[in-house]
Amino acid sequence: MTIQVLKKTSTAAIDIYKQDNDGYGIAKINGDYNGSDEVSISTAINVDSIVYNRTFTAGTAGTIVLPFSLPAGATTNAKFYYLREVASVDCKWKASFRNIALDNANALPAANTPYAVIVPNATKLQFNLNGGQATFLTDDIAEQYDNTNKWIFKGTYEYKTWSSTDPEFGLAYALAAANDPDGKYVAGQYGKVGEGTYAIPMRAYMCKKNADVRLGRPLAKGEVSSIENLPESIDVEFIDEEEKTTAIGRMNTVTGAIKIDRWFDLKGRSTNHKPTTKGAFFNKKGIAK
């Protein structure tokens, strides 16, 4: 049985195939694509099966933007989270990410939308369309504001590099794709972007809306709000049940390291070990998780 390319897309990250006899559409996505081609599909293409080739690191949360919409009834082996709030209380910061299933038990991740994602029991992300069809069609990626309207969760379909002249420089937080040769950080750590930090296609990052940063306290005499007031660490939580936190950690926005301090089961009870569902979240030198 011959398998042929069904339609060429304008991105090297996605190939779509069919079987000659029945037109069965298969989309294969290189989720680790780091080339210069933008992920762009301007004409809708329907497929019956998706193979998402990307390896997820156990114990960490990744970021993702999907270039396709899923049909009703589809299922996935991952949990998807949106940025709910980044808040400063008593001079401490915390970023909260909420499971989309809490708002709708049948919720599916939307196309062209940034998410944090955790694959609880596997290293590969899977989608089961259950007889339906997924539609590949890219558009402008939605910017997701937190409840305070001061922080934005943003995605990218193209290779993005930050420099000191970028308006997001000093305000954005991203995830490391590779170990630093000098040992300053390792792959999977998060922190504030620096000169030369990059993001690969179909990833997301968190960004302060502007430089007017306040620490939840009155400014001292002569002190002004600026990006210099951003903290060295941010507490991070993933919420999988109403008002209950799966994990609480702390992100160092200078070194990019994140440490999970406490784990909780879904009944809110503190545990002495990591649960099956693991999470960590947002550094330098590339978003790959």
Side-chain angles (χ1 to χ4, degrees), residues 165-203:
T165 59
D166 192 301
E168 294 179 348
F169 191 79
L171 299 173
Y173 295 78
L175 175 63
N179 295 344
D180 178 63
D182 298 324
K184 295 179 180 178
Y185 52 82
V186 298
Q189 291 186 326
Y190 288 89
K192 193 185 302 182
V193 301
E195 184 79 25
T197 300
Y198 64 86
I200 66 175
M202 296 181 286
R203 296 296 191 272

Side-chain angles (χ1 to χ4, degrees), residues 104-152:
N104 180 348
N106 298 315
L108 292 169
N112 310 307
T113 304
Y115 292 104
V117 59
I118 296 175
V119 183
N121 302 310
T123 58
K124 295 291 185 181
L125 175 59
Q126 298 177 346
F127 298 96
N128 188 339
L129 304 187
N130 293 317
Q133 288 190 316
T135 301
F136 279 73
L137 182 65
T138 58
D139 201 346
D140 292 338
I141 298 174
E143 291 189 344
Q144 185 185 101
Y145 285 79
D146 79 329
N147 290 350
T148 70
N149 202 39
K150 295 179 180 178
W151 291 81
I152 314 170

Side-chain angles (χ1 to χ4, degrees), residues 13-29:
I14 302 172
D15 286 318
I16 297 177
Y17 303 85
K18 73 171 182 179
Q19 292 178 353
D20 284 342
N21 62 333
D22 58 10
Y24 180 76
I26 304 172
K28 293 187 177 180
I29 303 173

Side-chain angles (χ1 to χ4, degrees), residues 30-66:
N30 179 1
D32 290 317
Y33 175 74
N34 62 359
S36 59
D37 288 347
E38 181 181 2
V39 176
S40 176
I41 303 175
S42 58
T43 301
I45 306 174
N46 295 328
V47 302
D48 300 284
S49 178
I50 297 172
V51 178
Y52 197 96
N53 293 315
R54 174 181 167 188
T55 300
F56 286 80
T57 303
T60 63
T63 65
I64 197 169
V65 179
L66 300 178

